[in-house]
Amino acid sequence: MHRIGYILPEGFQVMALATQAVFELANLLVGQPFYAVETYALDGSARASTGLVLQAKPLSAHRSADTWLVAGTIKPMPSAPELIRLLSKIAARARRIAGLCTGAFILAEAGLLDGRRATTHWYWAEVLQERYPHIQVEADRIYIADGPVWTSAGMTAEMDLALALVEKDLGADIARSVAHRLVMHQRRSGGQSQHSEMLKLAPKSDRIQQALEHARRNLAQPLSVEELAEAASLSPRQFSRVFTAETGQSPAKAVEGLRLEAARLMIEGSRHPLEVVARETGFRDRRHMREAFLRGFGMPPQAVRREARIAPPA
């Protein structure tokens, strides 16, 4: 049996507890109690940011666990010294430990992230880096596993981290089945961005929004400025000017971002050959897509596929 221990600090964010459903469903799918989940708080109870008071086991009376998950708080705050002392002791004996959302700050206080890559909610990533310069903070990642220490972005990304833990333990098929039971659209890999391209562009006018929607639905097509301008009912010159003013990007740069996002999702969630992915998302060929991935993500498509642990077809 694999023991999972949750540590709830005062003011914890209740979304962290939702990840327990991942381990519950994994047990159901494998037909035996593979995971045993226990919840701890420093003094045996903790108040959530919503006001909910949860009774838990005193952390000082903890049993050994293979994996520990440390919940975050809405706003990072200094932890009780006793919590940090116990956490350091616990981590030394655990197989792995994870900071959920701003739980990364608690791991950092305990020195567990020194010299490691880590992430957290995008809103607090810069603060984490400033407070703890010995950490390599990657602000735009869903989750990161650096050896035995895991960290996740906020809220729903905690579910992705929990699913990744299940995949490590029980395999990709079980993890995908758990995600399906949870009615999750997809299980995102750790390298995926915390932000969607459409949300990042955030155009102010309906016309530019219509052009972007047209682009998103027709990524396999060339998508010239003239075609996008027609979708927005503007002249090409007007369209380029208004588009850049509203989104901060040129039409060509924005379309490449949409292509990259679509290609990454296909690579992470399917077994299609890279040539097919390139064609379906509008890149000239596999080489063109690779160049765009290196610019946009700092890694080639093959590395994204390896990170998602989906083997390409033979």
Side-chain angles (χ1 to χ4, degrees), residues 169-226:
D169 298 334
L170 296 169
D173 288 343
I174 293 295
R176 280 194 290 268
S177 295
V178 171
H180 185 62
R181 288 289 187 98
L182 290 168
V183 200
M184 293 176 67
H185 177 61
Q186 61 177 350
R187 189 193 70 73
R188 299 176 293 180
S189 76
Q192 189 167 327
S193 171
Q194 294 187 36
H195 306 281
S196 93
E197 286 298 316
M198 292 290 281
L199 286 176
K200 187 162 62 177
L201 292 166
K204 298 178 178 63
S205 68
D206 290 342
R207 288 186 175 191
I208 301 303
Q209 182 67 46
Q210 287 168 8
L212 284 169
E213 287 291 345
H214 176 82
R216 186 179 61 81
R217 291 193 302 267
N218 297 278
L219 287 175
Q221 305 305 316
L223 294 173
S224 65
V225 170
E226 289 75 17

Side-chain angles (χ1 to χ4, degrees), residues 95-252:
R95 181 161 71 93
R96 60 193 178 193
I97 188 165
L100 303 177
C101 191
T102 57
F105 282 81
I106 301 175
L107 299 191
E109 283 186 83
L112 300 176
L113 296 181
D114 287 353
R116 296 186 183 276
R117 297 165 54 240
T119 193
T120 189
H121 192 290
W122 63 266
Y123 188 84
W124 295 106
E126 187 175 341
V127 177
L128 181 65
Q129 186 67 86
E130 289 174 354
R131 288 187 189 175
Y132 304 98
H134 297 301
I135 302 172
Q136 183 184 333
V137 178
E138 298 186 15
D140 198 30
R141 292 293 173 259
I142 296 296
Y143 64 82
I144 288 175
D146 189 332
V149 183
W150 296 54
T151 49
S152 81
M155 307 300 179
T156 57
E158 299 169 9
M159 301 293 284
D160 295 295
L161 182 147
L163 284 164
L165 293 175
V166 168
E167 183 172 323
K168 280 283 187 184
D169 298 334
L170 296 169
D173 288 343
I174 293 295
R176 280 194 290 268
S177 295
V178 171
H180 185 62
R181 288 289 187 98
L182 290 168
V183 200
M184 293 176 67
H185 177 61
Q186 61 177 350
R187 189 193 70 73
R188 299 176 293 180
S189 76
Q192 189 167 327
S193 171
Q194 294 187 36
H195 306 281
S196 93
E197 286 298 316
M198 292 290 281
L199 286 176
K200 187 162 62 177
L201 292 166
K204 298 178 178 63
S205 68
D206 290 342
R207 288 186 175 191
I208 301 303
Q209 182 67 46
Q210 287 168 8
L212 284 169
E213 287 291 345
H214 176 82
R216 186 179 61 81
R217 291 193 302 267
N218 297 278
L219 287 175
Q221 305 305 316
L223 294 173
S224 65
V225 170
E226 289 75 17
E227 181 179 346
L228 295 175
E230 183 177 350
S233 300
L234 293 168
S235 71
R237 184 175 180 179
Q238 279 182 306
F239 173 75
S240 294
R241 178 176 55 78
V242 175
F243 188 97
T244 303
E246 291 195 12
T247 67
Q249 295 187 21
S250 69

